[in-house]
Amino acid sequence: MRLGDQDLLDIFYPHAVRKYRGINERGSDFAHYTSASNAMRILENQQFTLRNALEMNDFSEISYGTSLLSKVWRSEIGVGSNRTGRLAKLLDGIQEGISTEIEARFDDVKKERSAQTFLLSLTEHNPESDDRYGRLSMWRAYGGKTNVALVLNRSSFGGVENDSALVGSPVLYADEDVFAEEFELLVNNLKRNEANLRKMSPLNLIDEIVNAMNMATLSTKHPGFQEERELRVLYAPWIIPTSAVEIVPITIDERPQLVCKVPLKNTPGILSKGATVHELLKKIIIGPTDQPYPLYQAFVHCLQSLGFPNAETMVTTSNIPIRR
């Protein structure tokens, strides 16, 4: 059997495939919780801004996942001592030295993983439970005193892809034990597919495993964040660069920084079929605030100017009674 794209995804990205399957079964969409001013910029400019991983709200964004991976890599599930672990035996049995080469390749991009990775945080949005009020935990965490949730059609997003410049990656919320269980799933997948892996070129096999390791470190968070139900849009130009996006310096909260500008259409790997803002945006929820109506008016006007015929019904307000 020749391994196709879905076969590779099933083998190397079992957590992401499983999470996407659950999202599809639940009929969930995605939402981006942000400040009202930033939401307005997104709509007016028809582009998202991906921020550097070092600027995200979890200050351990990359180091946490890297630490968990390092521990399991050195365990008997991984390479163990003197390359006697399960993964090392399997890989080096296919071709001697592969496990060492994978480790070297992974270590070579340590700096890039932290300093040159750009993220956009989305959250799973269940229409049945989240459409009316949004989620209180997200209102409290994102956007300040005037916040907005942009609800996005799931069908406008591409699925899990391992060969695109921008990818959607469901976050794994894990402690050491859970992370080890997920890593063992990967090792078990590799073992079950050993015959097919032997037909791959060694370079392609190394690339797949290094990419899976990079995605694991970029998409793992402390279990205390699990209520966020996050899906990350990731751009790592040190893995696959693209001319479809632009990296530019801007100032946010008096902090100059590089960000990645992603247009809302024709962006390979994220928006399927060149989705436009009209296909992408499902609704807007105005977050809890003392004066929601001016925000409602502004966003209705914005959508009308963009040609949305049902702008007035697309914008709703969350009346959760919390003080801002």
Side-chain angles (χ1 to χ4, degrees):
M1 181 189 76
R2 180 180 178 274
L3 290 175
D5 291 341
Q6 187 58 53
D7 299 312
L8 291 173
L9 294 172
D10 289 339
I11 294 169
F12 293 98
Y13 304 91
H15 171 259
V17 170
R18 188 172 71 248
K19 293 296 288 186
Y20 266 115
R21 186 177 296 120
I23 289 169
N24 289 331
E25 289 173 352
R26 289 187 292 274
S28 296
D29 291 304
F30 301 117
H32 181 52
Y33 284 75
T34 186
S35 66
S37 59
N38 187 54
M40 187 65 73
R41 281 192 296 270
I42 290 170
L43 295 173
E44 290 177 340
N45 298 328
Q46 297 190 45
Q47 65 181 14
F48 279 118
T49 298
L50 278 59
R51 296 187 66 183
N52 190 285
L54 295 175
E55 296 288 343
M56 304 301 281
N57 69 322
D58 173 9
F59 59 83
S60 65
E61 284 288 348
I62 308 302
S63 61
Y64 182 75
T66 302
S67 174
L68 294 181
L69 180 62
S70 178
K71 290 177 182 178
V72 73
W73 180 261
R74 294 295 175 192
S75 74
E76 288 306 307
I77 302 173
V79 299
S81 59
N82 300 318
R83 304 286 157 175
T84 59
R86 285 184 58 199
L87 181 60
K89 286 181 178 179
L90 171 62
L91 295 175
D92 294 339
I94 294 174
Q95 179 167 311
E96 186 176 354
I98 281 186
S99 67
T100 302
E101 177 63 22
I102 289 170
E103 189 172 329
R105 287 267 304 275
F106 181 75
D107 289 342
D108 281 347
V109 292
K110 178 180 179 180
K111 181 178 180 181
E112 286 81 358
R113 270 194 304 274
S114 295
Q116 296 183 38
T117 298
F118 299 88
L119 309 174
L120 175 72
S121 293
L122 306 178
T123 181
E124 181 182 350
H125 181 90
N126 188 315
E128 292 185 4
S129 60
D130 300 333
D131 251 6
R132 186 171 182 182
Y133 303 117
R135 290 216 308 279
L136 179 58
S137 61
M138 300 300 288
W139 293 132
R140 284 174 165 163
Y142 298 97
K145 293 185 177 181
T146 54
N147 43 14
V148 164
L150 301 176
V151 181
L152 312 173
N153 283 303
R154 180 187 75 258
S155 60
S156 294
F157 282 79
V160 187
E161 297 186 35
N162 66 336
D163 60 352
S164 299
L166 282 89
V167 296
S169 181
V171 167
L172 169 65
Y173 300 98
D175 56 15
E176 289 185 26
D177 292 338
V178 171
F179 191 90
E181 291 171 4
E182 291 291 337
F183 191 86
E184 190 167 17
L185 283 178
L186 170 62
V187 176
N188 291 341
N189 285 348
L190 296 174
K191 182 62 178 177
R192 279 194 298 270
N193 290 274
E194 181 177 357
N196 289 312
L197 298 181
R198 288 180 178 275
K199 299 175 184 178
M200 295 176 65
S201 75
L203 287 179
N204 285 346
L205 178 56
I206 290 169
D207 283 344
E208 291 291 349
I209 295 177
V210 171
N211 284 341
M213 292 166 64
N214 281 323
M215 292 303 293
T217 59
L218 296 172
S219 306
T220 300
K221 294 183 74 169
H222 188 281
F225 290 95
Q226 61 187 335
E227 64 185 12
E228 293 180 351
R229 307 203 306 256
E230 183 179 355
L231 174 92
R232 296 191 153 169
V233 177
L234 291 165
Y235 177 50
W238 45 275
I239 298 179
I240 302 178
T242 179
S243 60
V245 304
E246 183 182 14
I247 296 177
V248 296
I250 67 172
T251 299
I252 301 175
D253 296 331
E254 301 183 354
R255 292 172 60 88
Q257 57 196 268
L258 290 178
V259 299
C260 175
K261 298 288 189 179
V262 179
L264 296 187
K265 60 180 179 179
N266 300 325
T267 305
I270 286 297
L271 301 184
S272 62
K273 303 176 183 177
T276 66
V277 66
H278 300 87
E279 296 162 327
L280 179 66
L281 185 65
K282 187 172 185 179
K283 67 179 299 181
I284 297 173
I285 306 174
I286 306 296
T289 183
D290 294 340
Q291 297 293 335
Y293 192 63
L295 292 176
Y296 170 84
Q297 289 178 305
F299 279 97
V300 168
H301 184 274
C302 177
L303 294 187
Q304 289 173 337
S305 70
L306 291 172
F308 284 89
N310 55 338
E312 292 184 353
T313 57
M314 284 182 64
V315 184
T316 63
T317 60
S318 175
N319 60 356
I320 299 176
I322 59 173
R323 189 181 301 278
R324 306 303 297 179

